[in-house]
Amino acid sequence: MSLIVMKFGGSSVGTPERMQRVAQRIIQTKEAGNRVVVVVSAMGDTTDDLIDQSKLLNPNPPAREMDMLLTTGEQISVALLSMTIHQFGHQAVSYTGWQAGIVTEAVHAKARISDIRPDRIFKSLEDGQIVIVAGFQGMSEEGEITTLGRGGSDTTAVALAAAIKADVCEIFTDVDGIYSTDPRVVKCARKLNEISYDEMLELAHLGAAVLHPRAVEYAKHNNVKLVVRSSFNQNEGTTVKEVAVMEQGVVVSGIAFDKNVARISILGVEDVPGVLAKVFGALANNGIDVDIIVQSGVQGGKADFSFTLSSDDAEKAIEVIESISGEVPYRETTSEVNLVKVSIVGAGMVSNPGVAATMFESISKLGVSIKMVSTSEIKCSCVIAADKLNDVVRELHTAYGLDTAEQVFVGGPQDRR
Amino acid sequence: MSLIVMKFGGSSVGTPERMQRVAQRIIQTKEAGNRVVVVVSAMGDTTDDLIDQSKLLNPNPPAREMDMLLTTGEQISVALLSMTIHQFGHQAVSYTGWQAGIVTEAVHAKARISDIRPDRIFKSLEDGQIVIVAGFQGMSEEGEITTLGRGGSDTTAVALAAAIKADVCEIFTDVDGIYSTDPRVVKCARKLNEISYDEMLELAHLGAAVLHPRAVEYAKHNNVKLVVRSSFNQNEGTTVKEVAVMEQGVVVSGIAFDKNVARISILGVEDVPGVLAKVFGALANNGIDVDIIVQSGVQGGKADFSFTLSSDDAEKAIEVIESISGEVPYRETTSEVNLVKVSIVGAGMVSNPGVAATMFESISKLGVSIKMVSTSEIKCSCVIAADKLNDVVRELHTAYGLDTAEQVFVGGPQDRR
């Protein structure tokens, strides 16, 4: 008898029919002799509808009240899912985040889980009940209702799995698992049977939107075995764990990409100590995340440097840089949008030199110029023009031996809360 | 500086415009130098929508899960109302029932409040905040979310007012206060300035749907001064308190009526001890509330008796009686629907003999026959044919000197949760 945490996203329970299918799936798992704890997100568009309602009354509401508002979405889901399971003749009990003992920091909209006190969950499991917990939410020590921010329900599931020492945490989604790349771009993308936490983290950060990075970090830190699988079929999915079995000759596990990348260059900057800290400090204070930073050589006491960021932030970033031109004198700024970042990720890269060289070669063979490069132990990223993205991804997928014979069915948009 | 509890029903906050008007009203009260605690119901049709959603998945859901589901309605209201007050530049904090310290019995759908621990409310009031509490809900000692059943938000408001020793509990509704009778029937109905708890209880029980009887009982028991007033204007409303000032010469305060009354008679019942207990015990066990009971004289060891009940329950009641005919032999049952009960209510009746006689006289003058009568210290009720209701109410209103010169504006349907 295993103890299993099953997590379902909002699109999986977005209609009465889907809710019923999820209930059946849970009951199957229970009837197979397992103890089951379920984590659910808010149904379909509930969260967006609540946000729309609030905007009419206050375009900039206090985060505390927003948490009070949005947590109702998951409370509705858990209550309805529990009722559905009862209708099928099984015992279930729904819990809000605070009832499930999920304690968070005393911040709103993006609290981190600080403790889990699963007494009530254990009690209900002992009573033979299916336990259904509202994802995305918790309570501070002061009794304030909090939310975990984006990816919150994944994090709830992983944190609960760690706290109750579950044998596995299954993340149900609308795809069969983690793919070597986006099957919408490469039809012969392969589903990975296993992947390490570190690889998954790189893929998650790089825009493969199946698992939230925070949840993966939590799983790695607590050694929770994750399985990403489809809520529409019984396929085995992808297991995410500490050391994944590597297929013979495969050093790159996946190819990720991030669209909407922009580059900004600041040219002719006075090369005095603290210049970088001032620029990137000012950007961070304005909520702008910067990705790759490259500084070119100094000439005549002046330096050029470039960085990438989300193209949505490009305009604001230039304003911020102009606003500090008194403190950080420079000659000019240039910027470029319509860029993308393509990355190869693989735990095998550490022990296989020359992996990056294959990447540069494949890209140059297509006549595409590489604008920036960034590497880590298990990944290599190149920034290129957006219009060449698909060609490059396909080329790399082939070059690293990832193509399969099968074509992949791709479901609807994935659900990311 | 007074401490005021203000309660708004779901129709008062049913649209963004209404929510804003309620927020302004609250802010005015705060700015007049008062400390303010607000109780709100779920907005407009939210509760019905949630019930409809649940019925699709489970036509007969567990009460516990229904409470989990329905309490989200008030949580949405309090969060949005708090945001609206913030938008107008004032400080507010919303609380669920459990956060506000409302402790109930461990039953679902109709829990009674067992304790209130208003520490957080006092703390927030000290911080100068407007406190907004979700009506209708609480938490059991075991940490289960409960609801108070019908009239729940009124009860929350009154119970909170008692616990924090508020100077007044204002119940905002869509009418100007308590009327001498339904202004839709009698155009010149008068608004009462004051009324006693006992009179209000009789009126509430008799179908005047402005205040829930349970809330009135709670107010009487804890001596909470209630004011029923309009959320649409600044009129003074009706004060409900222990001893109301009686107007000169007015012994009857109001005329109430209850539509949809049915009468069932059981004829030729064996007159042995315990017969009534068996019949009415069986009806109670089937959830059927009986109102007036009349037993006529015994002849030849056989008795006839009649009772009134809601016409919705009439068919079921006859089935129940037939099902116990083995234990309680009788000759036959007869029934009559399309009846109404008209009642005069007045604290002054105790010390004024002959008040009931005027009622019988007024009714008979209209050629209407009185089918059943029931009296208490402060009321007298007559059951008559439904088609004569309006004539009788108007006649009684005039006979007891309640007519005013003014005509009353009547708003939309009242909101009763």
Side-chain angles (χ1 to χ4, degrees), chain A residues 3-300:
Chain A
L3 176 53
I4 298 182
V5 173
M6 306 174 79
K7 183 257 167 179
F8 295 91
S11 66
S12 299
V13 291
T15 65
E17 294 70 32
R18 287 176 174 212
M19 185 73 91
Q20 285 164 339
R21 194 167 50 199
V22 164
Q24 298 276 24
R25 182 77 180 239
I26 293 165
I27 290 167
Q28 279 167 23
T29 307
K30 176 77 161 61
E31 289 196 320
N34 302 295
R35 290 179 299 158
V36 180
V37 176
V38 180
V39 174
V40 205
S41 305
M43 291 160 64
D45 301 326
T46 310
T47 305
D48 289 338
D49 291 347
L50 289 171
I51 291 172
D52 290 347
Q53 271 191 287
S54 74
K55 293 280 177 238
L56 291 175
L57 295 165
N58 188 335
N60 195 17
R64 179 197 184 278
E65 301 302 332
M66 206 62 190
D67 281 358
M68 285 288 281
L69 182 68
L70 295 186
T71 48
T72 61
E74 283 78 19
Q75 189 171 330
I76 292 170
S77 286
V78 293
L80 291 176
L81 182 55
S82 174
M83 290 175 187
T84 310
I85 291 172
H86 277 269
Q87 177 67 11
F88 289 132
H90 285 257
Q91 291 302 307
V93 62
S94 67
Y95 287 129
T96 61
W98 64 267
Q99 287 181 319
I102 295 169
V103 182
T104 73
E105 307 166 332
V107 296
H108 290 286
K110 48 179 183 193
R112 282 176 176 268
I113 293 174
S114 54
D115 195 12
I116 293 190
R117 297 166 191 158
D119 323 17
R120 290 177 81 170
I121 293 177
F122 281 127
K123 176 75 177 58
S124 297
L125 287 173
E126 269 166 40
D127 293 347
Q129 287 180 308
I130 294 166
V131 177
I132 302 166
V133 178
F136 179 63
Q137 59 181 252
M139 181 176 77
S140 72
E141 296 282 4
E142 295 74 26
E144 293 283 87
I145 293 175
T146 55
T147 62
L148 310 181
R150 280 183 66 81
S153 288
D154 286 353
T155 308
T156 301
V158 174
L160 270 180
I164 66 176
K165 302 199 193 321
D167 296 286
V168 60
C169 178
E170 296 185 328
I171 307 284
F172 287 86
T173 179
D174 47 9
V175 290
D176 269 0
I178 310 293
Y179 279 82
S180 55
T181 193
D182 188 334
R184 282 168 296 195
V185 173
V186 179
K187 291 268 178 285
C188 53
R190 69 162 69 190
K191 198 204 75 188
L192 308 175
N193 292 325
E194 294 195 346
I195 185 171
S196 70
Y197 295 123
D198 288 334
E199 289 172 307
M200 187 67 232
L201 269 176
E202 291 291 357
L203 290 173
H205 277 298
L206 294 169
V210 176
L211 259 180
H212 196 271
R214 201 199 273 192
V216 182
E217 276 169 34
Y218 208 106
K220 175 177 160 69
H221 189 72
N222 293 279
N223 205 19
V224 172
K225 185 168 112 180
L226 293 175
V227 174
V228 178
R229 59 195 300 188
S230 170
S231 55
F232 301 104
N233 62 45
Q234 300 285 343
N235 296 352
E236 278 205 356
T238 301
T239 301
V240 188
K241 56 187 193 178
E242 188 55 48
V243 179
V245 173
M246 211 182 298
E247 267 186 74
Q248 190 68 27
V250 175
V251 288
V252 167
S253 301
I255 294 159
F257 48 84
D258 190 0
K259 294 179 179 180
N260 302 318
V261 172
R263 176 194 56 76
I264 291 178
S265 296
I266 315 182
L267 306 176
V269 183
E270 201 75 49
D271 184 40
V272 293
V275 159
L276 284 176
K278 270 185 196 140
V279 171
F280 295 105
L283 291 169
N285 290 340
N286 283 277
I288 297 169
D289 278 335
V290 164
D291 184 16
I292 305 175
I293 302 175
V294 177
Q295 180 167 10
S296 59
V298 181
Q299 275 197 325

Side-chain angles (χ1 to χ4, degrees), chain B residues 2-23:
Chain B
S2 294
L3 176 53
I4 299 181
V5 173
M6 304 173 80
K7 182 259 170 179
F8 295 91
S11 67
S12 299
V13 290
T15 65
E17 295 68 34
R18 285 177 176 212
M19 186 71 91
Q20 285 163 337
R21 195 165 49 199
V22 164

Side-chain angles (χ1 to χ4, degrees), chain B residues 320-401:
Chain B
V320 170
I321 292 163
E322 284 169 357
S323 74
I324 57 164
S325 62
E327 292 170 79
V328 182
Y330 58 82
R331 193 179 70 247
E332 61 171 324
T333 58
T334 64
S335 67
E336 189 173 8
V337 290
N338 288 327
L339 300 177
V340 291
K341 182 172 70 167
V342 187
S343 307
I344 55 170
V345 175
M349 288 169 70
V350 184
S351 49
N352 286 273
V355 175
T358 304
M359 184 180 196
F360 304 145
E361 205 179 288
S362 302
I363 296 176
S364 66
K365 210 170 70 184
L366 292 170
V368 174
S369 67
I370 297 171
K371 295 168 186 278
M372 286 170 102
V373 173
S374 157
T375 59
S376 81
E377 284 203 330
I378 63 162
K379 73 142 208 261
C380 181
S381 304
C382 294
V383 175
I384 60 169
D387 60 348
K388 297 296 183 187
L389 175 65
N390 290 4
D391 296 342
V392 166
V393 172
R394 277 189 214 107
E395 182 67 27
L396 292 171
H397 202 264
T398 306
Y400 288 108

